[in-house]
Amino acid sequence: MHVPDGFINAPISIAAGIVAAGGLAVCLRGARKELDDKTAPLAGLVAAFVFAVQMLNFPVGVGTSGHLMGGVLAAVLVGPYTGVLCVSVVLIVQALFFADGGLSALGVNIILMALVTALAGYAIVVALQHVLPKRRSSVVPAAVVGALASVPLAAAVFVLLFVLGGTADIPLGEVLAGMVGVHVLIGIGEAIITGLTVGSILGVRPDLVFAARRYEQELELRAPTR
Amino acid sequence: MTRTRGFLLGFLAVALLLAAVVSYFASGNPDGLEKVGIDTGFGETARDHSLGGSPFADYGTAGIDSAFWSTAVSGIVGVLVTALIGVGLFLLVRRTSNRR
């Protein structure tokens, strides 16, 4: 979903840049509480992993492809604030070195693919964790649903920015239906990749999955009373 | 700590493998946004990337003719650059939080 230069006009692109910069500042503060000596290097490699998987466009329907955004994946593994920073590092590297995502659209892309997917997507994950059985393995279905929802959600926010600052005069309904429709399909791919990755890491190193930390604490609290 | 180091190296190796080898088999069709842009018409408002002439533009490597190696080299460079910036940034964030 890398937005190129030109789709969104200058005022809205600048406004998006300011919002994105503010969001990153908040996340830099929030990430301090999420990172420890083990997870700081892990978070850097999560960014590298997201970069790699974003290269893997999978087909969705005829003549269309999609790729992982990675916001929910990163948030589940290293925390929501750090997750935003992971995807943002990827977007900045892509815009500067790989001509992917316009330079003037960097703020837009950070809002859509980092802030919306990681923060809103992770909020869904946490909400589901309250409903699902209180055990580690619940992280996987929660992450799957969060990932699935995060992609059409980002698409809907793109449509909002397009309404505010789109340079082409296209009926809103057409853009909204097209964007959300195709991104529900891409969301299925996002959900599968996120589920497989989180499940694999949960299998070998559950202590390195941020979203699984809450269960460890509960177990520790319960132990002495037995 | 060595166990974690082993895990991290394995994780990096998987990322490198995906970016260098699996990426060759990625779909080249327009992505969801591009497709909707084509179908509805707003795709025409896209401008060429201002750094479109850079050595790794569009996940290829300037000067390498083989399609496989062109993608592979750009993928490896991308993963390593992202890892370097990411690990550096997060260690820095970690250090500033220790000081407070």
Side-chain angles (χ1 to χ4, degrees):
Chain A
M1 189 192 277
H2 292 66
V3 179
D5 295 316
F7 276 11
I8 306 293
N9 66 21
I12 296 300
S13 295
I14 292 168
I18 294 168
V19 171
L24 291 183
V26 170
C27 291
L28 277 168
R29 292 190 71 86
R32 287 178 185 170
K33 294 194 190 78
E34 293 172 349
L35 293 166
D36 58 35
D37 291 335
K38 256 196 300 191
T39 54
L42 173 67
L45 296 186
V46 166
F49 184 81
V50 169
F51 176 90
V53 182
Q54 286 206 357
M55 284 182 76
L56 310 179
N57 280 60
F58 48 81
V60 282
V62 181
T64 313
S65 74
H67 63 67
L68 180 88
M69 292 191 185
V72 170
L73 173 63
V76 166
L77 292 178
V78 291
Y81 296 116
T82 310
V84 169
L85 298 177
C86 285
V87 181
S88 299
V89 166
V90 172
L91 294 171
I92 291 166
V93 168
Q94 288 168 331
L96 290 181
F97 299 108
F98 295 88
D100 194 13
L103 292 182
S104 72
L106 191 55
V108 170
N109 282 320
I110 286 175
I111 289 176
L112 298 179
M113 281 183 280
L115 288 165
V116 170
T117 62
L119 297 184
Y122 193 71
I124 296 171
V125 173
V126 171
L128 285 169
Q129 283 183 302
H130 285 295
V131 186
L132 289 164
K134 302 276 179 277
R135 55 170 182 256
R136 255 182 205 158
S137 55
S138 295
V139 171
V140 177
V144 164
V145 177
L148 178 68
S150 69
V151 179
L153 210 57
V157 175
F158 169 81
V159 175
L160 179 70
L161 293 176
F162 188 81
V163 169
L164 292 173
T167 52
D169 190 20
I170 311 284
L172 162 68
E174 246 178 84
V175 179
L176 184 67
M179 280 301 283
V180 173
V182 70
H183 285 92
V184 166
L185 298 179
I186 297 174
I188 295 172
E190 178 98 15
I192 293 171
I193 297 169
T194 302
L196 285 175
T197 309
V198 171
S200 306
I201 297 179
L202 205 62
V204 283
R205 289 299 300 269
D207 58 312
L208 293 181
V209 177
F210 181 88
R213 281 189 200 171
R214 62 172 66 229
Y215 305 112
E216 282 168 36
Q217 284 165 352
E218 276 169 26
L219 284 175
E220 277 165 15
L221 287 174
R222 218 179 287 158
T225 60
R226 276 185 193 164
Chain B
M1 202 61 204
T2 46
R3 219 179 130 230
T4 300
R5 187 170 299 173
F7 173 83
L8 293 178
L9 286 173
F11 194 40
L12 178 63
V14 171
L16 285 169
L17 194 74
L18 293 174
V21 181
V22 183
S23 61
Y24 182 70
F25 303 97
S27 167
N29 283 326
D31 75 5
L33 175 64
E34 288 170 310
K35 185 67 166 58
V36 175
I38 294 166
D39 289 348
T40 63
F42 71 78
E44 289 169 12
T45 60
R47 289 199 307 268
D48 284 343
H49 201 282
S50 30
L51 301 174
S54 65
F56 298 108
D58 297 320
Y59 304 92
T61 309
I64 298 183
D65 291 333
S66 149
F68 176 84
W69 287 108
S70 177
T71 306
V73 170
S74 83
I76 291 168
V77 169
V79 166
L80 293 179
V81 167
T82 308
L84 225 67
I85 295 174
V87 172
L89 169 73
F90 293 121
L91 287 177
L92 205 70
V93 172
R94 172 73 190 137
R95 266 178 54 193
T96 53
S97 70
N98 274 351
R99 249 182 251 141
R100 300 220 158 182

